[in-house]
């Protein structure tokens, strides 16, 4: 059951998310967030100590939503190659849908807090890719690498993939879906087939 506190916090985060995506971290104020929520600024400070804390909570919410979405799509796939292809497509699509938020993170990543977010994302995603590959290995779908190589292969695969994601963000989200799908359909079986 959702309580009143959770409902208020959700409302704050959803409204703050819109404002951060529109105006960025530097231009968004606690006054604007409060006004957008229809709450007093003191209500915001009851839940969050600063605008940075609100932004941090928005980023955590986004990461959780991203992971849930990607996992729900990946889990529907029947084999390792399709799970990897779906992972790339869905992760890329969802990040591009939130490109303004990720640009803010990138711009602020010199700050230790945002560097930690980036490291957390990398660690989680590498583990997730490793699990897909380990399952494929156990089911005899992965024959091109040894089990003990899965860790570094996952890391290199993620590095290449995140390069593609950041490239797309820098190009204002423009990467033709057809080209992305062709690249995925060509590369994933070559590497892991």
């Amino acid at each position: 059951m959702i309580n009143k506190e959770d409902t208020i916090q959700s409302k704050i985060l959803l409204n703050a998310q819109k404002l951060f995506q529109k105006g960025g971290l530097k231009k968004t104020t606690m006054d604007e967030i409060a006004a957008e929520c229809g709450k007093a600024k003191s209500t915001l400070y009851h839940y969050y100590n600063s605008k940075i804390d609100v932004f941090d909570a928005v980023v955590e919410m986004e990461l959780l939503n991203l992971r849930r979405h990607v996992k729900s799509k990946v889990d529907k796939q029947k084999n390792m190659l399709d799970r990897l292809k779906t992972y790339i497509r869905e992760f890329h699509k969802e990040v591009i849908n939130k490109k303004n938020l990720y640009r803010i993170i990138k711009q602020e990543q010199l700050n230790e807090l945002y560097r930690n977010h980036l490291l957390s994302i990398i660690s989680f995603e590498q583990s997730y890719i490793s699990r897909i590959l380990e399952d494929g290995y156990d089911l005899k779908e992965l024959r091109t690498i040894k089990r003990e190589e899965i860790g570094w292969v996952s890391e290199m695969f993620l590095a290449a993939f995140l390069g593609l994601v950041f490239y797309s963000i820098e190009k204002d989200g423009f990467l033709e879906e057809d080209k992305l799908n062709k690249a995925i359909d060509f590369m994933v079986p070559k590497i892991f087939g």
Side-chain angles (χ1 to χ4, degrees), residues 118-129:
L118 187 58
L119 292 175
S120 171
I121 292 167
I122 289 169
S123 177
F124 182 89
E125 299 309 324
Q126 183 182 346
S127 295
Y128 191 71
I129 292 168

Side-chain angles (χ1 to χ4, degrees), residues 65-98:
N65 290 340
L66 170 71
R67 290 172 178 154
R68 281 183 186 147
H69 173 82
V70 171
K71 184 179 183 325
S72 75
K73 299 292 185 177
V74 168
D75 286 350
K76 293 177 183 173
Q77 304 307 311
K78 303 220 183 294
N79 64 61
M80 181 194 69
L81 292 179
D82 288 342
R83 285 191 295 273
L84 286 169
K85 290 176 186 180
T86 300
Y87 169 81
I88 295 168
R89 285 183 181 106
E90 294 300 323
F91 189 98
H92 182 270
K93 180 176 70 175
E94 289 302 300
V95 168
I96 294 307
N97 286 339
K98 306 289 187 220

